[in-house]
Amino acid sequence: MTLLWDADPTASDRYSFALGADIVRFDNLATATRALQEYVNDPLLIIGPEVDMQSACDLSDFARVERPEMGVVLMRRRLDVTVLAQALRSGIREVIPADDLTALADAARRSRELSSKVAGHVGDAAVTEGRVVTVFSAKGGVGKTTFSTNLGAYLASKGSKVLLMDLDLAFGDVAISLQLLPQNSMSDLIAMSGHLDAQGLASIVTRHESGLDVAAAPSEPSDADRIPGALVGEALRVARRAYDYVVVDTPPAFTEHVLAAFDVSDLLILIATLDIPAVKNLRLSLDTLDLLGSPKESRVVVLNRSDAKVGLRAEDVVAAIRQDIAITVPSSAAVPASINRGVPIVLDEPRHAVSVALRELADRFIRVQPAAGSPGSKADEPKRSERWSLTRGSKR
């Protein structure tokens, strides 16, 4: 099978003479990026002549890290030194004229031969990827950071290698909630954009006494605007190869950083509380995720402070959001007290009802490999080409 990135619906037929009939076509960068993660047995990617050069190079950079055995062949309507230099720097194997099908067939053959040799070496040391879990709510004050820090600390306490990434880049509270004084933060990744590796990521994390690694938000809110969404995606892809679990704390908004995290997440934990604004925002969030093509199987809805006597019941929330609540977490003054001490309650008071609920959330939906059709399962995900891009909002 050959992967083809070309917006022209007739491109598969046009290139079938050179590439064969078994072609899977994608029409945008986000879809093509996902395809490289799904079609892991297909070593050849052809990029059509109408794809802009920067996007083609971005995808090739991604493939060079995530799929080193994959060959990328670029078609251009005009060849010049600048194009060839950019292609070389991005790891593109060959650049060929767009109207030369014979050259395309030859380039595809050479690339497949090289890929088969490279795959023999890559396969000797298979890489196991960790799970990316994003905690989100479109309303502030529902407990996202409390959930993120406690889930991360609990997973780390079980012997797993865990990274907690604070994507509330302007006003993140992960570090202060754990009473950490980070020397580095997410803003230090900017200089490594495009060539970030595990060593570079390790240079900006701060270790918590639980064994949890934390990638803290910048200390200056203005630094958030300097961090592109693409860098967040790059950091998460590197992190999942270095850690068993990556837990992502988020701001209460669909920012480009949050959408980048959604794109690579295996599980979304969506939090609500028993108040009308939180329920309304959760309903809108679910509708937005449906529109963006996020699979329902990868979502878990959690009701925090579920025992609050405020005239709204869990049943009312279920009716409003039209989705079951997976876990209910009671309210307790012990939670803010644990935050003030900088010790996650799941470790400090393991028998507390809140701790029991948080452990259940981790054990049921994060630590175990989910069965097909359950939250976090990829078995029932729609084909990538049938989904929507989370980062661009275009149909796949």
Side-chain angles (χ1 to χ4, degrees):
M1 182 182 295
T2 301
L3 306 182
L4 172 64
W5 178 12
D6 196 307
D8 184 356
T10 67
S12 298
D13 293 334
R14 187 166 67 253
Y15 300 132
S16 61
F17 170 79
L19 303 175
D22 198 4
I23 299 173
V24 179
R25 186 185 65 84
F26 307 96
D27 58 11
N28 61 60
L29 176 59
T31 310
T33 301
R34 284 183 174 273
L36 299 195
Q37 297 171 309
E38 178 177 359
Y39 295 95
V40 295
N41 295 320
D42 304 299
L44 178 61
L45 171 68
I46 307 296
I47 300 179
E50 305 305 329
V51 176
D52 69 272
M53 193 64 192
Q54 185 57 56
S55 296
C57 291
D58 288 345
L59 184 60
S60 183
D61 282 333
F62 173 84
R64 184 162 51 177
V65 174
E66 296 293 320
R67 298 282 307 279
E69 82 289 357
M70 170 165 274
V72 179
V73 175
L74 177 65
M75 292 185 288
R76 296 286 91 173
R77 299 206 181 281
R78 184 171 60 89
L79 302 183
D80 56 38
V81 174
T82 301
V83 168
L84 295 175
Q86 283 184 274
L88 179 64
R89 287 195 297 270
S90 299
I92 293 172
R93 286 185 180 170
E94 296 196 40
V95 183
I96 59 172
D99 56 354
D100 192 339
L101 293 183
T102 300
L104 177 60
D106 291 340
R109 175 183 51 78
R110 288 190 295 268
S111 182
R112 289 184 184 280
E113 290 174 353
L114 179 57
S115 291
S116 64
K117 297 176 182 178
V118 174
H121 295 288
V122 173
D124 292 338
V127 177
T128 301
E129 291 191 341
R131 302 193 74 203
V132 178
V133 179
T134 296
V135 181
F136 179 75
S137 172
K139 181 179 181 299
V142 301
K144 293 188 300 295
T145 300
T146 299
F147 273 67
S148 299
T149 53
N150 277 273
L151 290 172
Y154 173 65
L155 293 169
S157 73
K158 305 303 289 185
S160 298
K161 190 175 182 183
V162 185
L163 175 69
L164 173 54
M165 183 178 292
D166 193 345
L167 281 192
D168 191 348
L169 297 172
F171 301 104
D173 290 327
V174 166
I176 197 170
S177 296
L178 295 172
Q179 292 193 359
L180 296 175
L181 298 174
Q183 300 299 309
N184 302 96
S185 72
M186 290 289 293
S187 62
D188 293 294
L189 295 178
I190 297 173
M192 297 178 258
S193 179
H195 52 86
L196 178 63
D197 57 16
Q199 185 176 359
L201 181 63
S203 70
I204 67 103
V205 304
T206 305
R207 175 64 61 91
H208 184 256
E209 61 184 11
S210 65
L212 173 67
D213 281 348
V214 174
S219 57
E220 295 295 330
S222 59
D223 286 344
D225 295 333
R226 299 172 52 233
I227 302 175
L231 177 57
V232 170
E234 181 182 8
L236 287 171
R237 288 190 294 271
V238 171
R240 76 186 310 163
R241 287 176 172 262
Y243 290 88
D244 300 314
Y245 301 101
V246 182
V247 180
V248 183
D249 191 27
T250 58
F254 283 91
T255 66
E256 62 172 331
H257 307 111
V258 171
L259 293 178
F262 285 173
D263 262 346
V264 296
S265 292
D266 300 293
L267 182 68
L268 303 181
I269 297 177
L270 306 174
I271 304 176
T273 51
L274 288 175
D275 59 271
I276 294 298
V279 175
K280 181 266 293 183
N281 284 3
L282 176 57
R283 177 65 262 169
L284 292 177
S285 295
L286 291 169
D287 291 342
T288 301
L289 290 169
D290 287 339
L291 179 64
L292 295 174
S294 170
K296 290 181 172 62
E297 297 80 12
S298 68
R299 309 175 199 164
V300 172
V301 174
V302 178
L303 182 62
N304 195 19
R305 305 167 197 147
S306 59
D307 55 351
K309 307 301 182 184
V310 292
L312 199 64
R313 302 170 303 162
E315 294 82 356
D316 301 323
V317 177
V318 172
I321 67 174
R322 301 188 295 276
Q323 182 167 330
D324 290 338
I325 295 171
I327 298 289
T328 58
V329 182
S331 57
S332 173
V335 174
S338 70
I339 295 172
N340 290 339
R341 292 193 303 272
V343 182
I345 189 172
V346 74
L347 302 182
D348 195 35
E349 301 182 53
R351 296 186 180 181
H352 194 283
V354 172
S355 300
V356 172
L358 290 169
R359 286 201 307 271
E360 181 185 4
L361 174 60
D363 292 338
R364 282 181 56 191
F365 299 104
I366 302 176
R367 293 185 65 206
V368 296
Q369 184 63 37
S374 64
S377 168
K378 296 184 179 180
D380 293 335
E381 276 192 39
K383 290 293 185 183
R384 302 297 186 188
S385 57
E386 297 171 357
R387 296 181 54 191
W388 289 67
S389 164
L390 301 185
T391 52
R392 292 173 179 258
S394 56
K395 192 172 183 180
R396 295 176 178 178

